[in-house]
């Protein structure tokens, strides 16, 4: 079981954003506790970046409310940004500045120690310090952006696709550093497509689909509560009965006489029951990965339900 | 094969269509640019008054230039900066097709704008006429196409838009410069006088050939550099090829140095980043230097100063807007106010320094010509107010138009034109031009309010509403507090008005001689000047002729209903009374000479008495001069034998009566006050402004370059101010009056008071009647100030005169010529 701090660092209640012709976010309820890594997963256009922009005060919600570090992002956006380390999906930097210059410039706005920590990270990332930002590769820019965001040791890190463009070694080091920060009591909210990385570092995951939260739970629970069932049928025309609560089918794939289901909270009794269904020849259950869960959430269900399990 | 050909055609058309589509923003902005230029020419046109029509053709033709520059910037420079050119180059499109498509899109756009300009010029010909000349319009098209070609060439060559535009500004003038050099050489060789282009065959031909030659070079370079740009990604090495740039980024900052404060860091960042600002500042100071060198205001140089101020404004936020770099600061929660102030610090400092330099330059150059330092200061302030408004408006527009390239091209004409219009409307409403300083605060406040949205790159409708509301509120408050009082008809100070009402004028009005309105007073002056100038000669030629002139004078006084304005002093400064010296004894028997003298004395005494009864202030002033003249006759030693005793005592008693004199003056002032109160003067009354505005002889002349509303309002205001000062002046004794008199003298040029009592100079006071010499300033052409002689030293002298042996009696004035009133 993951031990969670009692303090809430970030909370949203019925948060929604609508644009003309589009409901970008709808009734999003999230809670991020101190000292955890919270990951936002979702397909492209799910609303992850929109949610992050609301939390950092770049966008105003249409409905609902949220708080970050006890502050209201609508009123206290600047104060929030000072206290968090934010790396957007396309970090803006002054192209004409050199790598060391931009750190030196940014250090003016933070307390002592920023520049040293920045230089340390840049050295660790092996980015040439005398090169202008515009002449860096995509990955190098990402490293600089990370270093700039982390150098002031913020209590909350908000990272939008932070490892995009990073080479595998640096990714590994970065993720390990995240864990160290969390161990020191820092909190991380990250949005990513790299599910295997999320699986490694995240304590809690929220899966967004079409602006709604499909699922919010700890990674551990997700692993334990989801199972993939492979049901072989004697007759492809056989219709399987509905699973009774609390079991929840997230995805169903039919391939001839074989049904593959991703099911949550399937009890052993229910599993035995499935084996005794008429027309069922064999049933196999496998553990699922987070990726399976993710795919099931996004493709398997027309509507979303979520459960919050700790 | 056919399919390939069809594909090629399709590709070309689609490419062309895409390039034309990219030009929509600048097409859409052309009407604004046209209006901006129109407003600019309209406002500047006031300065051309009297020397011909304002150059409306510039308003029609300059938008084409703006379009050409903008098209090259958008189609090449902006694509480079947004990296869309790389994507285009990665497509299977031959480089020459891309280059051609961009060129043709730009050329089509230039032609469309050119045709539009012609049509608009025809449509608006009634209001903004120009000489429609085919050669002018064709030349205009050629120039625009040349600028387009040069712009493309520079855009392909240079990495940054900044560098491309800087070089383009130089290259664009090359053909004209070559032509000018040719023209100068042609003249120096004695081949003819300087001729205007393009009508002259030689210089015109050179101009056309220059454009052809440079245009051909531009086409060649355009293709060459375009291919180079599309075939290879620019490398780091190309950055080092910049020795010819007018400004180089300073040497790399050592980050080993200590940390800066946030404000210092932001200022450092602005200075390092904003090269446009530094070039604009340099241009601003260069214009000041040129003005200093030219020793006079030059419209084109002032225009460049305005352009520099506009570029300074646009560049304030342009660097940060470029690729939304300002998000770096927004993401880190940097204070909006700190960011705003750091952007304003350098431009404001430079504008202030510019003002200081302008003051110093103006004092050196104009110090001798302008009457007071305060006037110099006021002129400088008004100029700075214009520059500040151009700067702040450009800044606001540059912030709203988030594309730096489009902003750099479009904002200057719009901002400068708008400022011109603002100046015109302030003038029309009679509001002091310094009110522009308050107006300049409105756009600045708008930029400050928009900082959050701008930094977050979320500028939109809501933000615009907030800005406009704040600016509107500011202007409303400022207008109510500052400008509204100037629009209200000015009333006389209540205490002074009450004192005037208490002083009854009815008795004086009944008894005053009927001197009519001095509309033709100049004729009288001319007559009297003739009399004056010819009197000496006439007296030498024939005393009878002098007598005849005097009779004519008396007839005028007796029978005419015109007020007499007499030059008591000749233009050379010699007083008229020396006529006695010009009637030498050997040319006239002593008895006749004595009789003539006494007749003239009686005439002047009668005139003075009559004038004292008038409630017209100008006649009170005339009476002062008549009495001073009489005093001189009494005091002149060589006149003592000429004076009849009775007449002498009569004159002395009259001159000693200071109380009656003072009462007459104040009655005249009260009359003016009552007439002003009852005279409806509205700033909206447009009928009177073209004529002289007169109140009791105080004339405010026709002001051709003022609008009706402001002229009326200002005249009323000035009359009230003058009246209040004169009322106070009349209450003071001699030693206390100098400050007010000096103030009246200093204000005379500004108030343009025309006071018809002769060319005496604007600060001339008789403290000793024996040594009267007018303070004449050559070339000023100013006429006498009111109140100069009130309770001056001469009145004290008059009281100290002693009567002769017999007692004076208040007898009716005898007129030896038999004429009587």
């Amino acid at each position: 079981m993951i031990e969670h701090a009692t303090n809430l660092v970030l909370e949203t209640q019925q948060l929604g954003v609508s644009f003309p012709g589009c409901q970008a976010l709808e009734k999003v309820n999230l809670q991020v506790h101190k000292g955890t890594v919270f990951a936002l997963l979702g397909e492209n256009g799910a609303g992850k970046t929109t949610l992050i922009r609301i939390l950092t005060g770049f966008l105003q919600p249409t409905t609902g409310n949220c708080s970050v570090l006890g502050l209201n992002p609508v009123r206290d956006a600047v104060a929030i940004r000072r206290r968090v380390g934010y790396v957007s999906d396309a970090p803006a930097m002054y192209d004409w500045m050199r790598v060391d210059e931009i750190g030196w410039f940014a250090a003016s706005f933070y307390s002592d120690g920023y520049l040293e920590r920045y230089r340390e990270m840049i050295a660790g990332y092996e980015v040439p310090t005398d090169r202008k930002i515009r002449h860096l590769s995509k990955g190098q820019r990402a490293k600089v952006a990370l270093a700039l965001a982390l150098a002031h040791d913020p209590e909350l890190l908000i990272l939008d696709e932070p490892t995009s463009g990073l080479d595998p070694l640096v990714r590994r080091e970065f993720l390990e550093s995240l864990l160290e920060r969390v161990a020191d009591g820092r909190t991380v909210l990250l949005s990513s497509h790299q599910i295997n990385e999320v699986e490694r570092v995240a304590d809690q995951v929220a899966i967004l689909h079409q602006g709604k939260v499909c699922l919010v739970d700890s990674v551990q629970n997700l692993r334990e509560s989801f199972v993939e069932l492979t049901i072989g049928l004697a007759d492809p025309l056989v219709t399987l009965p509905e699973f009774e609560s609390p079991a929840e089918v997230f995805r169903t794939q039919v391939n001839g006489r074989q049904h593959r289901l991703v099911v949550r909270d399937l009890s052993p009794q229910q599993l035995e029951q499935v084996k005794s269904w008429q027309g069922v020849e064999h049933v196999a259950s496998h553990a699922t990965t987070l990726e399976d869960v993710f795919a099931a959430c996004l493709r398997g269900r027309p509507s979303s339900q979520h459960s919050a399990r700790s | 094969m056919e399919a390939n050909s069809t594909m090629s055609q399709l590709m070309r058309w689609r490419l062309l269509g895409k390039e034309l589509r990219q030009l929509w923003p600048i097409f859409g902005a052309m009407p604004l640019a046209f209006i901006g230029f129109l407003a600019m020419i309209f406002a500047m046109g006031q300065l051309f008054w009297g020397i011909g029509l304002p150059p409306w053709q510039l308003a029609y033709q300059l938008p084409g230039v703006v379009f050409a520059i903008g098209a090259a910037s958008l189609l090449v420079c902006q694509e480079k900066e947004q990296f869309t050119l790389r994507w285009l180059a990665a497509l299977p499109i031959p480089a020459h097709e891309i280059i051609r498509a961009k060129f043709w899109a730009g050329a089509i756009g230039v032609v469309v704008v050119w045709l539009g300009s012609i049509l608009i010029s025809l449509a608006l010909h009634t209001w903004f006429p120009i000489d429609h000349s085919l050669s002018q319009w064709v030349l205009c098209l050629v120039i625009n196409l040349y600028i387009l070609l040069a712009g493309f060439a520079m855009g392909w060559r240079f990495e940054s838009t900044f560098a491309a535009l800087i070089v383009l500004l130089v290259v664009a003038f090359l053909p004209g410069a070559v032509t000018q050099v040719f023209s100068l050489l042609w003249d120096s060789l004695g081949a003819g006088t300087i001729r205007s282009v393009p009508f002259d065959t030689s210089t015109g031909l050179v101009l056309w050939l220059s454009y052809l030659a440079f245009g051909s070079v531009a086409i060649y370079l355009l293709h060459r550099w375009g291919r180079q740009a599309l075939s290879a990604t620019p490398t780091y090495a190309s950055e080092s090829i910049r020795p010819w740039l007018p400004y180089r980024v300073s040497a790399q900052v050592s980050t080993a140095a200590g940390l800066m404060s946030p404000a210092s860091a932001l200022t450092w960042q602005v200075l390092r980043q904003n090269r446009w600002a530094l070039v604009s500042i340099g241009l601003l100071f260069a214009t000041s230097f040129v003005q200093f060198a030219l020793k006079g205001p030059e419209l084109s140089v002032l225009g460049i100063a305005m352009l520099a101020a506009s570029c300074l404004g646009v560049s304030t936020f342009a660097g940060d807007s470029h690729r939304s770099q300002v998000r770096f600061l927004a993401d880190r929660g940097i204070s909006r106010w700190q960011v705003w102030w750091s952007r304003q610090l350098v431009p404001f400092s430079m504008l202030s320094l510019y003002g200081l330099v302008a003051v110093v330059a103006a004092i050196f150059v104009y110090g001798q010509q302008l009457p007071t330092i305060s006037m110099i200061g006021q002129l400088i302030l008004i100029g700075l107010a214009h520059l500040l408004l151009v700067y702040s408006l450009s800044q606001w527009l540059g912030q709203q138009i988030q594309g730096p390239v489009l902003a750099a091209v479009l904002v200057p004409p719009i901002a400068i034109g708008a400022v011109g219009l603002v100046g015109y409307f302030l003038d029309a409403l009679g509001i002091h031009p310094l009110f522009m300083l308050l107006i300049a605060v409105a756009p600045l406040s708008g930029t400050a309010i928009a900082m959050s949205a701008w930094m977050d790159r979320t500028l939109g409708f809501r933000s615009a509403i907030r800005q406009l509301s704040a600016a509107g509120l500011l202007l409303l408050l400022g207008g109510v507090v500052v400008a509204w009082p100037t629009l209200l008809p000015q009333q006389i100070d209540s205490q002074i008005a009450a004192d005037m009402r208490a002083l009854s004028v009815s008795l004086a009005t009944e008894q005053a001689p009927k001197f009519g309105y001095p509309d033709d007073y100049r004729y009288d002056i001319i007559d009297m000047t003739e009399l004056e100038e010819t009197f000496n000669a006439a007296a030498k030629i024939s005393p009878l002729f002098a007598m005849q002139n005097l009779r004519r004078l008396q007839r005028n006084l007796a029978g005419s209903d015109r007020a007499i304005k007499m030059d008591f002093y000749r233009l050379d400064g010699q007083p008229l009374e020396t006529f006695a010296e010009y009637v030498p004894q050997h040319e006239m028997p002593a008895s006749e000479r004595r009789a003539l003298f006494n007749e003239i004395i009686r005439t002047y005494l009668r005139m003075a008495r009559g004038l004292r009864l008038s409630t017209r202030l100008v006649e009170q002033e005339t009476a002062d001069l008549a009495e001073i003249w009489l005093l001189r006759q009494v005091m002149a030693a060589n006149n003592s034998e000429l004076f009849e005793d009775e007449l002498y005592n009569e004159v002395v008693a009259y001159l000693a009566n200071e109380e009656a004199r003072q009462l007459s003056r104040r009655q005249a002032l009260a009359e003016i006050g009552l007439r002003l109160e009852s005279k409806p003067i509205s700033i909206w009354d447009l009928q009177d402004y073209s004529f002289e505005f007169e109140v009791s002889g105080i004339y405010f002349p026709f002001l051709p370059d003022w609008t009706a509303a402001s002229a009326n309002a200002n005249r009323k205001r000035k009359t009230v101010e003058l009246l209040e000062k004169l009322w106070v002046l009349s209450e003071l004794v001699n030693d206390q009056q100098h400050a007010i008199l000096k103030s009246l003298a200093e204000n005379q040029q500004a108030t343009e008071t025309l006071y018809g009592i002769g060319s005496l100079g604007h600060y001339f006071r008789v403290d000793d009647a024996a040594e009267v010499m007018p303070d004449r300033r050559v070339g000023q052409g100013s006429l006498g100030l009111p109140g100069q002689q009130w309770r001056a030293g001469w009145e004290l002298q008059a009281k100290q005169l002693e009567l002769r042996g017999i007692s004076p009696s208040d007898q009716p004035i005898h007129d030896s010529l038999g004429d009587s009133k």
Side-chain angles (χ1 to χ4, degrees):
Chain A
M1 291 291 286
I2 299 170
E3 289 184 6
H4 295 278
T6 54
N7 294 334
L8 277 178
V9 167
L10 191 154
E11 187 179 11
T12 71
Q13 290 175 352
Q14 298 290 94
L15 199 67
V17 168
S18 63
F19 300 119
C22 164
Q23 185 74 29
L25 285 177
E26 194 177 340
K27 294 179 184 173
V28 172
N29 295 301
L30 295 175
Q31 288 182 337
V32 178
H33 293 269
K34 188 177 175 182
T36 61
V37 178
F38 193 101
L40 287 175
L41 292 177
E43 77 278 22
N44 296 329
K48 304 186 300 298
T49 300
T50 304
L51 177 60
I52 287 177
R53 283 171 61 83
I54 291 173
L55 296 174
T56 49
F58 285 103
L59 199 59
Q60 286 193 20
T62 314
T63 55
N65 49 60
C66 55
S67 76
V68 177
L69 298 173
L71 299 171
N72 185 334
V74 174
R75 276 199 317 268
D76 307 312
V78 171
I80 287 171
R81 292 176 209 171
R82 283 202 196 115
R83 292 174 60 182
V84 307
Y86 171 52
V87 181
S88 68
D89 53 343
M93 287 182 283
Y94 287 104
D95 284 357
W96 54 270
M97 287 190 190
R98 297 190 327 270
V99 172
D100 57 347
E101 256 179 359
I102 201 167
W104 177 72
F105 172 64
S108 307
F109 305 105
Y110 296 102
S111 55
D112 292 342
Y114 181 97
L115 190 57
E116 289 74 24
R117 285 192 289 270
Y118 171 80
R119 282 175 175 160
E120 205 177 300
M121 275 188 266
I122 289 294
Y125 292 146
E126 296 178 350
V127 177
T129 56
D130 60 346
R131 192 169 293 181
K132 289 193 178 179
I133 301 292
R134 69 163 69 100
H135 295 131
L136 297 178
S137 67
K138 181 183 172 187
Q140 287 172 326
R141 287 175 71 107
K143 289 175 187 176
V144 172
L146 276 173
L148 288 168
L150 298 175
H152 69 288
D153 198 19
E155 50 191 305
L156 172 64
L157 263 176
I158 299 178
L159 309 172
D160 199 345
E161 299 288 339
T163 58
S164 171
L166 297 183
D167 59 66
L169 283 174
V170 174
R171 268 193 202 160
R172 182 188 288 267
E173 286 167 12
F174 171 70
L175 292 171
E176 283 170 3
S177 73
L178 280 187
L179 291 173
E180 286 171 11
R181 285 180 184 276
V182 167
D184 287 339
R186 303 289 186 258
T187 311
V188 176
L189 172 71
L190 74 98
S191 152
S192 179
H193 291 303
Q194 306 289 339
I195 298 178
N196 55 335
E197 290 177 358
V198 166
E199 205 164 2
R200 282 181 58 201
V201 299
D203 298 312
Q204 281 208 303
V205 163
I207 298 176
L208 285 169
H209 176 58
Q210 294 180 348
K212 295 174 190 161
V213 175
C214 290
L215 198 64
V216 177
D217 210 338
S218 67
V219 173
Q220 178 84 0
N221 278 351
L222 287 177
R223 282 202 207 108
E224 288 173 359
S225 64
F226 274 82
V227 66
E228 187 182 86
L229 285 183
T230 305
I231 302 173
L233 299 174
D235 185 348
L237 297 176
V238 169
T239 305
L240 289 173
E242 296 283 337
F243 281 82
E244 289 177 358
S245 178
E248 216 179 327
V249 176
F250 271 74
R251 186 180 177 188
T252 305
Q253 272 182 299
V254 178
N255 189 7
R257 291 186 297 143
Q258 201 172 62
H259 285 224
R260 290 174 68 186
L261 292 82
V262 175
V263 185
R264 189 183 186 185
D265 293 334
L266 186 70
S267 64
Q269 293 80 12
Q270 283 177 309
L271 181 60
E272 289 305 314
Q273 207 176 7
V274 170
K275 289 176 182 173
S276 65
W277 281 347
Q278 193 180 2
V280 172
E281 285 187 342
H282 60 87
V283 176
S285 67
H286 309 279
T288 54
T289 62
L290 187 58
E291 192 168 340
D292 295 330
V293 175
F294 177 73
C297 285
L298 266 52
R299 290 183 187 150
R301 299 163 50 132
S303 61
S304 66
Q305 291 180 20
H306 77 271
S307 63
R309 301 280 292 269
S310 61
Chain B
M1 197 68 169
E2 203 171 301
N4 283 342
S5 172
T6 309
M7 284 287 289
S8 296
Q9 287 289 337
L10 188 64
M11 175 199 68
R12 283 195 197 104
W13 282 114
R14 287 195 177 175
L15 200 52
L16 182 64
K18 168 250 174 204
E19 301 297 340
L20 282 170
R21 175 69 182 82
Q22 260 179 259
L23 291 177
W24 278 145
I26 202 160
F27 270 125
M30 278 298 103
L32 277 177
F34 169 68
I35 291 168
F37 281 120
L38 202 62
M40 192 170 23
I41 302 295
F42 178 77
M44 287 173 62
Q46 307 299 316
L47 300 171
F48 292 98
W49 208 278
I51 61 170
L53 281 174
W56 297 122
Q57 66 270 19
L58 288 178
Y60 296 122
Q61 293 170 354
L62 282 175
V65 174
V66 170
F67 182 88
I69 297 173
S73 306
L74 285 179
L75 294 180
V76 179
C77 302
Q78 187 165 278
E79 284 223 54
K80 269 190 175 182
E81 295 195 351
Q82 291 177 348
F83 301 112
T84 51
L85 206 59
R86 288 188 190 176
W87 171 77
L88 206 61
L91 296 174
I93 306 175
H96 68 269
E97 293 288 350
I98 297 172
I99 296 166
R100 275 184 209 165
K102 288 186 182 295
F103 167 70
W104 281 115
I108 290 169
V110 163
V111 171
V112 166
V113 170
W114 176 75
L115 287 172
S117 299
I118 295 176
L119 290 172
I120 290 171
S121 69
L122 291 171
L124 299 180
H125 185 76
T126 308
W127 300 282
F128 309 111
I130 61 170
D131 285 330
H132 282 277
S133 154
L134 181 63
S135 61
Q136 279 274 10
W137 279 111
V138 172
L139 180 65
C140 169
L141 179 63
V142 166
I143 291 171
N144 291 345
L145 285 172
Y146 166 71
I147 292 174
L148 181 74
L149 289 170
F152 276 135
M154 299 306 123
W156 287 122
R157 177 64 184 85
F158 299 108
E159 288 264 0
S160 77
T161 311
F162 172 75
L165 286 177
I166 288 287
V167 178
L168 177 60
L169 281 176
V170 174
V171 168
F173 286 103
L174 279 178
V178 164
T179 310
Q180 196 63 27
V181 167
F182 171 82
S183 177
L184 288 171
L185 286 174
W186 185 264
D187 288 331
S188 67
L189 290 173
T193 57
I194 292 180
R195 293 170 279 256
S196 62
V197 292
F199 303 101
D200 177 78
T201 48
S202 57
T203 44
L205 190 62
V206 168
L207 182 70
W208 286 95
L209 286 173
S210 299
Y211 274 110
L212 198 62
F214 281 103
S216 303
V217 172
I219 290 173
Y220 167 72
L221 291 175
L222 179 162
H223 275 93
R224 182 187 160 92
W225 288 339
R227 282 173 190 269
Q228 284 178 356
L230 288 168
S231 59
T233 304
T235 62
Y236 187 78
S238 67
E239 289 254 332
S240 63
I241 308 171
R242 292 184 175 184
W244 38 265
L245 266 185
Y247 169 77
R248 291 198 69 170
V249 176
S250 59
Q252 294 172 353
V253 173
S254 167
T255 56
L259 291 176
M260 295 182 288
S261 66
S264 305
L266 289 168
T267 307
W268 167 84
Q269 179 245 324
V270 164
L271 284 172
R272 282 291 308 273
Q273 175 179 278
N274 202 347
R275 290 175 289 178
W276 266 118
L278 297 175
V279 172
S280 302
I281 289 166
L283 199 57
L284 204 58
F285 280 94
T287 59
S288 191
F289 175 74
V290 169
Q291 292 278 43
F292 179 73
L294 291 175
K295 291 193 176 164
E298 177 62 43
L299 271 180
S300 56
V301 178
L302 290 173
I304 292 173
M306 290 280 185
L307 184 63
S310 183
C311 289
L312 191 61
V314 173
S315 67
T316 304
F317 296 111
D320 292 303
S321 291
H322 178 57
R323 294 187 201 165
S324 300
Q325 288 179 138
V326 71
R327 281 283 305 273
F328 180 85
L329 302 175
D331 287 351
R332 280 152 189 81
I334 308 301
S335 161
R336 274 80 171 110
W337 295 113
Q338 268 188 333
V339 174
W340 189 81
W341 275 114
S342 64
R343 271 69 189 145
Q344 306 297 339
L345 185 63
V346 169
F348 262 101
S349 307
M350 290 301 112
L351 281 174
S352 305
L353 188 60
Y354 176 77
L356 198 61
V357 167
V359 168
V360 171
I363 289 172
F364 271 112
V365 174
Y366 301 109
Q368 301 302 319
Q369 299 168 30
L370 289 174
T372 60
I373 296 293
S374 66
M375 193 167 288
I376 297 173
Q378 203 173 42
L379 284 173
I380 299 289
L381 263 180
I382 290 171
L384 277 178
H386 280 78
L387 281 182
L388 190 63
L389 184 56
V390 167
Y391 163 74
S392 66
L393 195 55
S394 299
Q395 187 185 117
W396 180 77
L397 288 170
Q399 192 189 49
Q400 304 305 309
I401 302 173
Q402 297 191 45
V405 170
L406 201 60
V409 173
L410 287 177
V411 167
I414 296 170
I416 296 172
V419 169
L421 272 181
V422 166
Y424 176 76
F425 282 118
L426 287 183
D427 188 53
L429 293 174
I431 300 171
H432 200 283
L434 284 181
F435 187 65
M436 245 185 225
L437 286 172
L438 183 66
I439 297 176
V441 174
L444 285 177
S445 68
T447 59
I449 288 164
M451 281 305 284
S452 278
W454 173 73
M455 286 177 71
D456 292 347
R457 314 310 284 160
T458 56
L459 279 175
F461 183 68
R462 270 192 210 168
S463 168
I465 292 294
R466 274 201 296 271
Q467 294 169 58
L468 289 172
S469 305
L473 193 63
L474 193 71
L475 284 175
L476 190 64
L477 285 173
V480 166
V481 171
V482 174
W484 183 250
T486 66
L487 296 175
L488 293 174
Q490 189 161 352
Q491 301 299 331
I492 304 169
D493 176 78
S494 56
Q495 182 60 50
I496 293 176
D499 292 344
M500 286 177 176
R501 276 192 291 276
L503 192 62
S504 170
V505 298
S506 58
L507 188 63
T509 306
E510 289 171 11
Q511 294 186 354
K514 300 285 183 192
F515 293 117
Y517 288 106
D519 290 339
D520 55 351
Y521 74 93
R522 286 190 184 84
Y523 298 110
D524 293 333
I525 282 186
I526 289 173
D527 289 341
M528 291 312 298
T529 304
E530 276 182 8
L531 176 68
E532 189 177 73
E533 286 177 347
T534 60
F535 195 85
N536 302 329
K540 285 177 186 170
I541 296 169
S542 166
L544 187 59
F545 187 70
M547 188 63 72
Q548 284 177 338
N549 279 334
L550 185 60
R551 283 189 183 126
R552 188 175 65 167
L553 167 65
Q554 287 197 317
R555 273 201 297 278
N556 285 341
L557 285 173
S560 169
D561 58 357
R562 297 171 188 170
I564 303 292
K565 303 294 181 295
M566 304 182 67
D567 257 343
F568 292 92
Y569 302 92
R570 295 202 301 265
L571 293 176
D572 63 0
Q574 292 302 311
L576 184 62
E577 61 270 24
T578 55
F579 80 89
E581 299 168 6
Y582 288 90
V583 184
Q585 290 179 346
H586 69 274
E587 292 194 9
M588 184 184 278
S591 58
E592 283 187 29
R593 199 161 161 270
R594 194 164 188 257
L596 174 63
F597 177 81
N598 283 282
E599 276 186 26
I600 292 170
I601 294 293
R602 286 192 186 91
T603 303
Y604 273 76
L605 183 62
R606 178 169 160 267
M607 186 168 63
R609 278 189 167 133
L611 290 169
R612 280 295 173 206
L613 293 174
S614 169
T615 55
R616 288 173 56 80
L617 190 62
V618 65
E619 278 137 29
Q620 294 297 322
E621 298 292 301
T622 310
D624 278 341
L625 295 180
E627 290 171 10
I628 291 170
W629 183 85
L630 284 170
L631 181 61
R632 282 181 61 81
Q633 307 320 306
V634 168
M635 289 170 63
N638 58 358
N639 286 344
S640 63
E641 290 178 1
L642 296 172
F643 255 113
E644 293 171 4
D645 289 344
E646 200 175 300
L647 181 59
Y648 177 90
N649 287 339
E650 187 181 355
V651 171
V652 166
Y654 170 75
L655 292 176
N657 193 353
E658 185 192 357
E659 289 75 20
R661 187 181 300 120
Q662 189 65 356
L663 181 63
S664 303
R665 289 168 182 152
R666 286 173 71 83
Q667 282 177 340
L669 288 176
E671 166 72 7
I672 297 173
L674 291 174
R675 288 183 64 190
L676 265 180
E677 279 192 334
S678 61
K679 187 180 176 79
I681 298 172
S682 166
I683 62 169
W684 312 113
D685 187 354
L686 303 180
Q687 296 179 4
D688 288 344
Y689 87 104
S690 60
F691 302 101
E692 288 175 341
F693 177 91
E694 175 269 337
V695 177
S696 286
I698 304 175
Y699 282 90
F700 297 92
F702 169 53
L703 303 169
D705 55 344
W706 286 49
T707 57
S710 60
N712 286 345
N714 274 295
R715 283 169 185 153
K716 174 86 183 284
R717 192 180 310 133
K718 285 170 186 171
T719 308
V720 167
E721 286 169 3
L722 182 61
L723 182 63
E724 287 172 352
K725 281 187 179 169
L726 290 175
W727 186 260
V728 172
L729 182 71
S730 68
E731 292 171 344
L732 302 175
V733 296
N734 189 6
D735 293 340
Q736 299 165 341
Q737 292 176 326
H738 284 274
I740 290 186
L741 285 170
K742 191 163 179 258
S743 159
L744 285 173
E746 285 171 355
N747 288 339
Q748 190 185 29
Q749 283 294 326
T751 60
E752 295 176 313
T753 308
L754 180 66
Y755 205 72
I757 56 169
S759 301
L760 296 174
H762 72 273
Y763 190 13
F764 159 56
R765 190 165 172 80
V766 179
D767 281 323
D768 183 352
E771 294 181 358
V772 171
M773 183 56 65
D775 179 18
R776 193 176 308 287
R777 297 193 186 189
V778 177
Q780 220 169 22
S782 61
L783 299 182
L785 274 178
Q788 288 192 107
Q789 313 306 337
W790 296 358
R791 309 181 93 175
W794 68 275
E795 291 197 46
L796 197 61
Q797 284 179 322
K799 284 165 83 169
Q800 290 167 349
L801 292 172
E802 289 180 359
L803 298 170
R804 283 183 180 177
I806 56 171
S807 301
S809 58
D810 188 13
Q811 298 177 7
I813 299 166
H814 294 293
D815 186 331
S816 63
L817 297 181
D819 292 333
S820 62
K821 286 196 66 78

